[in-house]
Amino acid sequence: MSEKPHALSTDPYKGVRDFYPEDMYVLSYIIETMREATERFGYLEYGASLLEPAELYEAKTGDEIVNQEMYTLTDQGERRIALRPEMTPTLARLVAKRRLELGFPIRLFSIPNVFRYERPQRGRLREHWQLNADIFGVESIEAEYDVIALAAHIMHSFGASDADFRIHVSDRGVTQALYDHLNLSEETRIAVGRIIDRKAKIDAATFHSQLTEALSDEAAVETVCSVVEAEAVEALPQEIRDTDAAHRLDALLETLKRRGIANVVPDLSIVRGFDYYTGPVFEVFDTHPDNNRSLFGGGRYDNLLEIFDAEPVPAVGFGMGDVTIRDFLETHNLVPHYTATTDLFLCTIADGSREHAQQLADDLRAQGVNVEVNLADKKVGDQVKLADKHAIPFVICIGEREMETHEYTLKALASGSERVVTADAIADALYEMWQSDPLDYTP
Ligand code: HAM
């Protein structure tokens, strides 16, 4: 007797998501909002494959991602391939390849899916979509201003107010000045950087004791604490305040505030875990106590093109993920209500009404209305229920009377309001009813 085959699981692979229409609606909303806001700032869209040679990330992406989080495989030709864990090295590759033709400055964006082998948890999955917005070819902090203004504009486009999020700005140069001031070895710099990076996730006593272990010098620990806790550039120790990097940070903060981006604060505990950042870095935080975490971030990376042996091109940009944005939208009650992309469902009641409905559907589709015709052998009440279950906002039932008179009752399912219209008035009536009676479907 043959054994019953082992039934496959219907669950997706750990840490990745399936998107049923209601989920796809939210993902599409997030992606479209990001796209529209980014194009408004003059960014041009690019794309690339999710497969890249693994070595693309080994030079500068950073230890943790490369050694612990990267999906790597060997293809049939013995080449080591990675599923992209981030987009920045790909973008640097594209820019290096066409350096002479692109024309700088250039603003580029993409919204790819990226993959990291992380422990799945709130805000962290193994696949997410990530807006990457980057400017190439600008050395001054005007690029930082532009990119951070875009970040704030995207948040506003999602319906956030300034009080809902805060932009924390640091500068790698200031951190380097701190390490130089303390005369730290390369090894100690890496260790201290990691501790600072974890600061938000550990308590003050643990932070202090880990620093003491790494530095074995209480005065040095105090200096590090005074820098990472400084609430203004003037609060930094004199030797650090006098560096070019500190002046740059001060000028950036001042420019942002002067031009109306008020919710920005200096925060020298922002390290960002990539080796390629060279100057200002920033991270945007949710201010809501239920979701008090980093939403997204970025910074300046002026030397990444050197991995292709290309002349450097200054660059500034950020990555904004869909998972943390969705958490933000949920926390602040900003997720839009779901309605189907189908506008109208045509119920069929009488003999011959399906043919009539198909003809009417074709006419309406030609006018830009998204129409579904009933194909099920169900009672009219059940057809309407199905349309409602699928969150289709409008129905028309086609029976003998409609086939004779060519007049139809257009019904909005959420409110129950109705209008009797001729075929050529359906599209306009739909639009007007939609405007006057915003629909509220919660799946
Ligand atoms: P990142 O901080 O690693 O930076 O990622 C950017 C954003 O992507 C994060 O702040 C978060 O919103 C989202 N994200 C990252 N990892 C995950 C994950 N496992 N699950 C869910 N969301 C995640 C970068 O990747 C840089 N390449 C960004 C950049 C662009 N810098 C300059 N240009």
Side-chain angles (χ1 to χ4, degrees):
M1 217 169 74
S2 66
E3 263 185 45
K4 203 173 159 207
H6 167 66
L8 295 178
S9 167
T10 53
D11 290 338
Y13 165 66
K14 185 172 177 183
V16 308
R17 293 162 289 170
D18 292 326
F19 294 91
Y20 288 91
E22 295 87 352
D23 309 303
M24 204 59 211
Y25 178 78
V26 180
L27 179 66
S28 299
Y29 167 73
I30 291 174
I31 288 177
E32 284 315 310
T33 305
M34 288 172 169
R35 184 196 305 281
E36 207 176 291
T38 307
E39 286 179 341
R40 192 65 37 92
F41 272 59
Y43 286 72
L44 306 174
E45 188 165 11
Y46 66 95
S49 168
L50 56 82
L51 295 175
E52 286 279 12
E55 64 183 14
L56 181 64
Y57 307 100
E58 282 159 2
K60 284 197 178 231
T61 285
D63 240 20
E64 197 175 343
I65 288 188
V66 170
N67 296 326
Q68 292 165 32
E69 296 177 357
M70 204 154 81
Y71 282 89
T72 43
L73 57 126
T74 307
D75 74 6
Q76 283 85 336
E78 297 297 311
R79 295 172 204 91
R80 287 179 55 248
I81 307 289
L83 298 189
R84 59 184 168 214
E86 58 152 342
M87 199 61 172
T88 310
T90 299
L91 175 58
R93 182 172 67 67
L94 265 64
V95 171
K97 191 171 162 75
R98 295 251 175 112
R99 239 189 98 254
L100 301 177
E101 297 115 86
L102 280 177
F104 297 113
I106 186 167
R107 292 166 169 82
L108 293 166
F109 85 96
S110 192
I111 312 177
N113 53 345
V114 301
F115 303 84
R116 294 185 193 174
Y117 188 75
E118 298 213 45
R119 189 170 62 76
Q121 55 192 290
R122 182 173 167 83
R124 294 267 137 194
L125 295 176
R126 292 185 173 171
E127 180 189 29
H128 71 280
W129 273 257
Q130 192 191 83
L131 166 68
N132 278 255
D134 295 82
I135 302 184
F136 282 80
V138 180
E139 266 171 29
S140 75
I141 56 160
E142 283 299 328
E144 275 83 355
Y145 165 74
D146 213 276
V147 155
I148 292 174
L150 167 63
H153 174 67
I154 298 171
M155 293 304 287
H156 294 149
S157 304
F158 280 121
S161 71
D162 278 354
D164 295 334
F165 66 99
R166 196 174 299 122
I167 304 161
H168 293 228
V169 185
S170 180
D171 194 308
R172 279 269 171 102
V174 177
T175 325
Q176 290 309 320
L178 165 69
Y179 297 161
D180 290 346
H181 171 65
L182 297 174
N183 218 354
L184 302 184
S185 68
E186 199 47 47
E187 209 179 314
T188 314
R189 285 170 192 235
I190 293 170
V192 171
R194 292 219 175 104
I195 299 167
I196 297 176
D197 198 24
R198 281 199 299 270
K199 180 173 177 286
K201 297 182 192 127
I202 55 184
D203 61 52
T206 314
F207 179 64
H208 203 276
S209 72
Q210 289 187 355
L211 278 181
T212 309
E213 197 177 316
L215 292 164
S216 12
D217 171 359
E218 202 44 43
V221 172
E222 289 312 319
T223 309
V224 172
C225 288
S226 73
V227 169
V228 297
E229 278 154 20
E231 285 178 5
V233 174
E234 302 89 77
L236 293 171
Q238 188 73 43
E239 296 81 351
I240 296 168
R241 201 189 325 155
D242 285 343
T243 57
D244 288 347
H247 292 153
R248 179 172 58 195
L249 176 60
D250 206 23
L252 175 58
L253 291 164
E254 209 267 317
T255 305
L256 287 164
K257 286 205 169 130
R258 184 161 35 85
R259 296 191 190 162
I261 299 177
N263 51 343
V264 41
V265 288
D267 180 354
L268 290 148
S269 71
I270 299 294
V271 175
R272 301 206 31 83
F274 294 95
D275 295 346
Y276 48 68
Y277 290 121
T278 53
V281 285
F282 71 95
E283 228 154 84
V284 176
F285 284 76
D286 192 339
T287 53
H288 197 289
D290 294 347
N291 192 43
N292 203 337
R293 56 177 300 146
S294 168
L295 300 171
F296 63 97
R300 174 174 286 274
Y301 53 103
D302 285 346
N303 301 327
L304 189 51
L305 266 54
E306 73 189 12
I307 64 176
F308 309 102
D309 219 4
E311 282 288 300
V313 179
V316 181
F318 66 86
M320 175 192 253
D322 74 300
V323 180
T324 47
I325 288 297
R326 183 167 179 157
D327 287 345
F328 174 86
L329 296 178
E330 280 171 0
T331 307
H332 294 265
N333 225 346
L334 292 171
V335 181
H337 288 292
Y338 173 67
T339 45
T341 45
T342 309
D343 304 310
L344 175 64
F345 187 91
L346 298 182
C347 303
T348 51
I349 305 173
D351 275 354
S353 61
R354 178 152 310 130
E355 204 158 317
H356 186 98
Q358 292 290 17
Q359 184 58 53
L360 178 63
D362 280 346
D363 293 348
L364 289 169
R365 288 172 190 141
Q367 296 170 59
V369 182
N370 297 348
V371 189
E372 178 181 348
V373 174
N374 169 58
L375 295 184
D377 197 9
K378 288 184 195 243
K379 289 196 203 106
V380 66
D382 292 334
Q383 293 179 36
V384 173
K385 271 191 201 142
L386 186 66
D388 200 32
K389 185 175 170 65
H390 291 172
I392 298 169
F394 294 97
V395 295
I396 286 175
C397 295
I398 298 174
E400 271 162 16
R401 195 175 55 80
E402 285 77 12
M403 289 196 283
E404 258 170 53
T405 61
H406 290 255
E407 279 190 346
Y408 307 91
T409 305
L410 177 63
K411 178 168 180 168
L413 288 179
S415 63
S417 67
E418 292 185 351
R419 265 206 217 177
V420 177
V421 279
T422 53
D424 54 3
I426 292 175
D428 285 346
L430 261 174
Y431 182 72
E432 280 165 26
M433 284 170 82
W434 179 273
Q435 293 293 310
S436 65
D437 188 11
L439 301 165
D440 187 0
Y441 277 95
T442 314

